[in-house]
mmCIF file of all heavy atoms in Angstrom:
data_model
loop_
_atom_site.group_PDB
_atom_site.id
_atom_site.type_symbol
_atom_site.label_atom_id
_atom_site.label_comp_id
_atom_site.label_asym_id
_atom_site.label_seq_id
_atom_site.Cartn_x
_atom_site.Cartn_y
_atom_site.Cartn_z
ATOM 1 N N VAL C 4 107.384 -8.101 58.069
ATOM 2 C CA VAL C 4 106.536 -8.329 59.238
ATOM 3 C C VAL C 4 105.532 -9.438 58.947
ATOM 4 O O VAL C 4 105.283 -10.304 59.786
ATOM 5 C CB VAL C 4 105.821 -7.023 59.648
ATOM 6 C CG1 VAL C 4 104.842 -7.270 60.769
ATOM 7 C CG2 VAL C 4 106.832 -5.960 60.037
ATOM 8 N N VAL C 13 102.856 -20.622 61.969
ATOM 9 C CA VAL C 13 103.179 -21.994 61.564
ATOM 10 C C VAL C 13 103.899 -22.713 62.693
ATOM 11 O O VAL C 13 103.598 -23.873 62.999
ATOM 12 C CB VAL C 13 104.019 -21.995 60.266
ATOM 13 C CG1 VAL C 13 104.586 -23.373 59.993
ATOM 14 C CG2 VAL C 13 103.184 -21.513 59.097
ATOM 15 N N VAL C 23 106.422 -27.580 75.289
ATOM 16 C CA VAL C 23 106.881 -26.276 75.721
ATOM 17 C C VAL C 23 107.021 -26.219 77.242
ATOM 18 O O VAL C 23 107.758 -25.415 77.772
ATOM 19 C CB VAL C 23 105.891 -25.196 75.241
ATOM 20 C CG1 VAL C 23 106.296 -23.831 75.717
ATOM 21 C CG2 VAL C 23 105.792 -25.222 73.730
ATOM 22 N N THR C 28 109.665 -34.355 86.889
ATOM 23 C CA THR C 28 109.364 -35.790 86.935
ATOM 24 C C THR C 28 108.268 -36.103 85.916
ATOM 25 O O THR C 28 107.621 -35.197 85.385
ATOM 26 C CB THR C 28 108.868 -36.216 88.332
ATOM 27 O OG1 THR C 28 107.634 -35.539 88.607
ATOM 28 C CG2 THR C 28 109.883 -35.901 89.408
ATOM 29 N N GLY C 33 101.561 -35.237 83.370
ATOM 30 C CA GLY C 33 100.268 -35.873 83.174
ATOM 31 C C GLY C 33 100.492 -37.224 82.531
ATOM 32 O O GLY C 33 101.266 -38.038 83.023
ATOM 33 N N ARG C 40 118.073 -33.594 79.564
ATOM 34 C CA ARG C 40 119.435 -33.745 79.037
ATOM 35 C C ARG C 40 120.422 -33.950 80.167
ATOM 36 O O ARG C 40 121.397 -34.653 80.028
ATOM 37 C CB ARG C 40 119.831 -32.508 78.237
ATOM 38 C CG ARG C 40 119.140 -32.442 76.897
ATOM 39 C CD ARG C 40 119.595 -31.264 76.110
ATOM 40 N NE ARG C 40 121.020 -31.381 75.784
ATOM 41 C CZ ARG C 40 121.724 -30.435 75.208
ATOM 42 N NH1 ARG C 40 121.151 -29.300 74.896
ATOM 43 N NH2 ARG C 40 122.985 -30.602 74.930
ATOM 44 N N ARG C 43 120.071 -32.719 86.848
ATOM 45 C CA ARG C 43 119.579 -31.634 87.699
ATOM 46 C C ARG C 43 118.851 -30.539 86.924
ATOM 47 O O ARG C 43 118.334 -29.608 87.527
ATOM 48 C CB ARG C 43 120.726 -31.036 88.482
ATOM 49 C CG ARG C 43 121.256 -31.994 89.539
ATOM 50 C CD ARG C 43 122.408 -31.396 90.260
ATOM 51 N NE ARG C 43 123.551 -31.351 89.338
ATOM 52 C CZ ARG C 43 124.665 -30.704 89.543
ATOM 53 N NH1 ARG C 43 124.810 -30.007 90.639
ATOM 54 N NH2 ARG C 43 125.645 -30.733 88.674
ATOM 55 N N LEU C 61 98.802 -22.536 82.220
ATOM 56 C CA LEU C 61 98.591 -22.030 80.870
ATOM 57 C C LEU C 61 97.431 -21.042 80.781
ATOM 58 O O LEU C 61 97.314 -20.319 79.809
ATOM 59 C CB LEU C 61 98.316 -23.195 79.908
ATOM 60 C CG LEU C 61 99.496 -24.106 79.612
ATOM 61 C CD1 LEU C 61 99.052 -25.263 78.731
ATOM 62 C CD2 LEU C 61 100.610 -23.337 78.935
ATOM 63 N N GLU C 77 79.256 -10.029 79.138
ATOM 64 C CA GLU C 77 77.966 -10.642 79.449
ATOM 65 C C GLU C 77 77.216 -9.823 80.497
ATOM 66 O O GLU C 77 76.000 -9.664 80.405
ATOM 67 C CB GLU C 77 78.165 -12.082 79.935
ATOM 68 C CG GLU C 77 78.731 -13.012 78.879
ATOM 69 C CD GLU C 77 77.831 -13.120 77.658
ATOM 70 O OE1 GLU C 77 76.595 -13.173 77.820
ATOM 71 O OE2 GLU C 77 78.368 -13.141 76.535
ATOM 72 N N ILE C 78 77.927 -9.321 81.490
ATOM 73 C CA ILE C 78 77.300 -8.492 82.531
ATOM 74 C C ILE C 78 76.704 -7.239 81.910
ATOM 75 O O ILE C 78 75.558 -6.869 82.201
ATOM 76 C CB ILE C 78 78.328 -8.130 83.626
ATOM 77 C CG1 ILE C 78 78.779 -9.389 84.373
ATOM 78 C CG2 ILE C 78 77.741 -7.106 84.603
ATOM 79 C CD1 ILE C 78 79.967 -9.176 85.298
ATOM 80 N N ILE C 91 87.607 -0.997 75.553
ATOM 81 C CA ILE C 91 87.934 -1.002 76.969
ATOM 82 C C ILE C 91 88.345 0.409 77.394
ATOM 83 O O ILE C 91 89.035 1.116 76.666
ATOM 84 C CB ILE C 91 89.081 -1.999 77.248
ATOM 85 C CG1 ILE C 91 88.620 -3.419 76.951
ATOM 86 C CG2 ILE C 91 89.572 -1.888 78.678
ATOM 87 C CD1 ILE C 91 89.712 -4.462 77.047
ATOM 88 N N THR C 96 86.464 9.820 79.653
ATOM 89 C CA THR C 96 87.207 10.582 78.644
ATOM 90 C C THR C 96 87.934 9.656 77.667
ATOM 91 O O THR C 96 88.381 10.105 76.618
ATOM 92 C CB THR C 96 88.211 11.546 79.304
ATOM 93 O OG1 THR C 96 89.059 10.813 80.178
ATOM 94 C CG2 THR C 96 87.477 12.633 80.087
#
Side-chain angles (χ1 to χ4, degrees):
V4 175
V13 169
V23 178
T28 63
R40 286 183 64 187
R43 291 178 289 168
L61 290 176
E77 295 300 320
I78 295 170
I91 295 174
T96 55

